[in-house]
């Protein structure tokens, strides 16, 4: 029995030091996504010469993730999640280093595609390892901590990325990501134990479709997509609401920061509550959907206090849903196909990330922004209908 198998089968928690490289990998993919995206438009690079070019460049990272995450997740089940984790982190470092070595437009586009493809490899592998290296009784806390560090990456990315671009341009930002990914890869190589692939039965395409259509996969994935949609809309549109109410950039920035901070802090707390048995996945996800919907309903009112309250409600709601959704996925997925399950679920999150702002923006175009918020709130409340009728 390997060290990884012993940890997974023991009632005792694994060494904390074994989890830190996985948390760092979660931070890396989130930081890589937002640090560049938030600073491309304001950079002096000749790669961004039009809004259309900016839009395509922003879409490359997420587009690669949507296409490749299920593929790399399936491969991780074959060769081992640790190997895929190391492969993806090394690939991220190499892709980032391309633009550092050659500061040209084409290389920036190639580097961004490479970053997205590499993140598609190590992100599902990291999630699968979080599950494999922790007993079921600790999955809530483990995924809560993993989500916390991913949220830190999303929050710190725009700010730290902006500072790096201000100091040395995009090349310094990409050099930092090269060093970060390489350091995490070395850390994981030294600390994360080898977890061999589990024996698998042959799976047909029809069998895969049936499994991905099963309620045990669709319900938590839909909840994760709803949470990501709410978070994306909150970060993108709450500043617009604040500005229309006459609030300054300090107040609107504080609202976005509060949303991100509450989402980060709540995740490990709700994870511990799940492990302690004080909340179930069904109840916790339902409360999270209600809180997020209430936050968007509050935006119909005006004022800085209301804006901050709405941001806090959305942050708490999305923070509750995320670790509970991943814990539910882990509980229902075949252990030998965790990578494939996590990769497919991440596609649902990416679709929510894109679909939420698209929904609100489309409704706001024909009505007003508050109507778009209400449309999303209704969609979140409809999510209550997909929850199981029995406790998880």
């Amino acid at each position: 029995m390997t060290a990884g198998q012993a940890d997974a089968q023991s009632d005792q928690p694994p060494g904390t030091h074994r989890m830190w490289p996985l948390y760092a990998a979660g931070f890396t993919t989130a930081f890589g996504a937002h640090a560049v995206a938030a600073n491309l438009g304001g950079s002096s690079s000749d790669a961004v010469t039009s809004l259309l070019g900016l839009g395509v460049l922003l879409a490359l990272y997420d587009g690669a993730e949507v296409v490749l995450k299920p593929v790399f997740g399936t491969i991780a089940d074959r060769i081992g999640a640790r190997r895929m984790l190391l492969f993806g982190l090394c690939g991220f470092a190499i892709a980032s280093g391309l633009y550092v070595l050659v500061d040209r437009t084409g290389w920036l586009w190639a580097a961004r595609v490479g970053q997205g493809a590499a993140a598609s490899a190590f992100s599902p592998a990291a999630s699968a390892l979080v599950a494999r290296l922790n007993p079921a009784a600790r999955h809530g806390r483990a995924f809560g901590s993993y989500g916390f560090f991913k949220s830190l990456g999303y929050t710190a990315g725009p700010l730290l990325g902006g500072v790096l671009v201000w100091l040395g341009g995009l090349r310094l930002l990409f050099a930092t990501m090269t060093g970060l990914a390489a350091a995490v890869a070395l850390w994981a190589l030294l600390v994360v134990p080898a977890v061999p692939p589990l024996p698998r039965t042959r799976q047909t395409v029809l069998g895969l479709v049936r499994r991905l259509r099963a309620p045990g996969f669709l319900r938590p994935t839909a909840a994760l997509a709803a949470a990501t949609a709410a978070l994306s809309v909150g970060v993108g549109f709450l500043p617009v609401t604040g500005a229309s109410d006459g609030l300054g950039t300090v107040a609107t920035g504080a609202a976005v920061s509060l949303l991100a901070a509450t989402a980060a802090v709540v995740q490990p707390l709700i994870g511990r509550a799940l492990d302690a048995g004080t909340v179930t996945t069904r109840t916790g996800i339902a409360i999270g959907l209600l809180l997020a919907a209430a936050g968007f309903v509050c935006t119909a009112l005006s004022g800085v206090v209301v804006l901050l309250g709405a941001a806090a409600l959305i942050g708490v709601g999305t923070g509750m849903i995320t670790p509970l959704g991943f814990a539910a996925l882990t509980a229902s997925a075949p252990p030998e196909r965790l990578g494939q399950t996590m990769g497919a679920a991440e596609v649902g999150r990416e679709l929510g990330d894109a679909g939420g702002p698209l929904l609100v923006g489309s409704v706001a175009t024909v009505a007003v922004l508050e109507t778009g918020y209400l449309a999303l709130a209704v969609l979140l409340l409809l999510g209550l209908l997909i929850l199981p009728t029995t406790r998880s």
Side-chain angles (χ1 to χ4, degrees):
M1 181 181 295
T2 66
Q5 287 173 316
D7 280 333
Q9 295 178 9
S10 172
D11 291 334
Q12 299 299 320
T16 303
H17 66 286
R18 297 181 181 181
M19 301 303 299
W20 282 105
L22 304 180
Y23 300 154
F27 176 90
T28 300
T29 182
F31 180 83
H34 281 205
V36 177
N39 292 285
L40 276 175
S43 73
S44 58
S45 171
D46 58 2
V48 184
T49 57
S50 67
L51 291 177
L52 177 60
L54 175 61
V56 174
L57 194 53
L58 289 174
L60 289 177
Y61 190 99
D62 292 330
E65 288 192 304
V66 169
V67 174
L68 295 176
K69 275 185 175 179
V71 177
F72 283 125
T74 302
I75 297 175
D77 292 330
R78 289 179 178 272
I79 67 174
R82 181 176 178 270
R83 289 183 180 178
M84 184 57 69
L85 175 75
L86 297 174
F87 170 78
L89 287 168
C90 291
F92 194 93
I94 293 172
S96 302
L98 285 176
Y99 184 67
V100 179
L101 295 175
V102 186
D103 185 8
R104 294 180 181 176
T105 300
W107 286 102
L108 175 60
W109 288 66
R112 201 59 179 154
V113 173
Q115 285 182 329
S120 303
F122 73 80
S123 183
S127 299
L129 283 168
V130 168
R132 289 287 305 275
L133 292 176
N134 286 274
R138 285 181 55 87
H139 279 170
R141 181 175 300 184
F143 280 110
S145 298
Y146 181 72
F148 172 80
F149 283 98
K150 285 196 75 170
S151 295
L152 283 186
Y154 288 130
T155 304
L159 177 60
L160 293 181
V163 172
L164 291 170
V165 170
W166 177 69
L167 290 174
L170 281 177
R171 292 184 77 177
L172 179 58
L173 174 57
F174 275 76
T176 302
M177 289 190 291
T178 301
L180 175 63
V184 175
L186 179 60
W187 194 7
L189 177 65
L190 296 175
V191 174
V192 177
V195 182
L198 296 173
R200 301 178 310 144
T201 58
R202 187 172 181 271
Q203 177 180 253
T204 64
V205 174
L206 182 59
L208 173 62
V209 171
R210 285 175 177 170
R211 188 164 65 81
L212 297 184
R213 289 177 57 189
F217 175 82
L218 285 180
R219 286 167 176 160
T221 300
L224 289 169
T228 308
L231 187 64
S232 181
V233 169
V235 170
F237 285 91
L238 285 184
V240 178
T241 297
S244 65
D245 290 339
L247 302 178
T249 55
V250 174
T252 56
V256 174
S257 298
L258 179 61
L259 190 159
T262 52
V265 171
V266 164
Q267 291 192 55
L269 297 178
I270 195 66
R272 291 189 182 96
L274 176 65
D275 293 340
T278 56
V279 67
T280 64
T281 53
R282 173 181 178 267
T283 301
I285 290 175
I287 294 174
L289 291 170
L290 287 170
L291 290 176
F296 286 111
V297 172
C298 288
T299 58
L301 305 174
S302 60
V304 63
V305 175
V306 174
L307 184 68
L308 293 175
L313 287 171
I314 297 169
V316 172
T318 57
M320 291 183 68
I321 295 170
T322 302
L324 297 179
F326 277 115
L329 277 172
T330 303
S332 65
E336 71 277 11
R337 300 193 185 277
L338 268 176
Q340 184 183 71
T341 301
M342 294 300 178
E346 288 284 356
V347 172
R349 296 189 74 198
E350 296 292 343
L351 293 177
D353 193 20
L358 182 60
L359 170 67
V360 172
S362 300
V363 174
T365 300
V366 297
V368 294
L369 182 54
E370 287 72 17
T371 306
Y373 289 147
L374 292 176
L376 180 58
V378 171
L379 193 62
L380 292 172
L381 293 175
L382 289 176
L384 296 172
L385 300 178
I386 69 171
L387 296 177
T389 56
T390 57
R391 292 184 178 272
S392 301

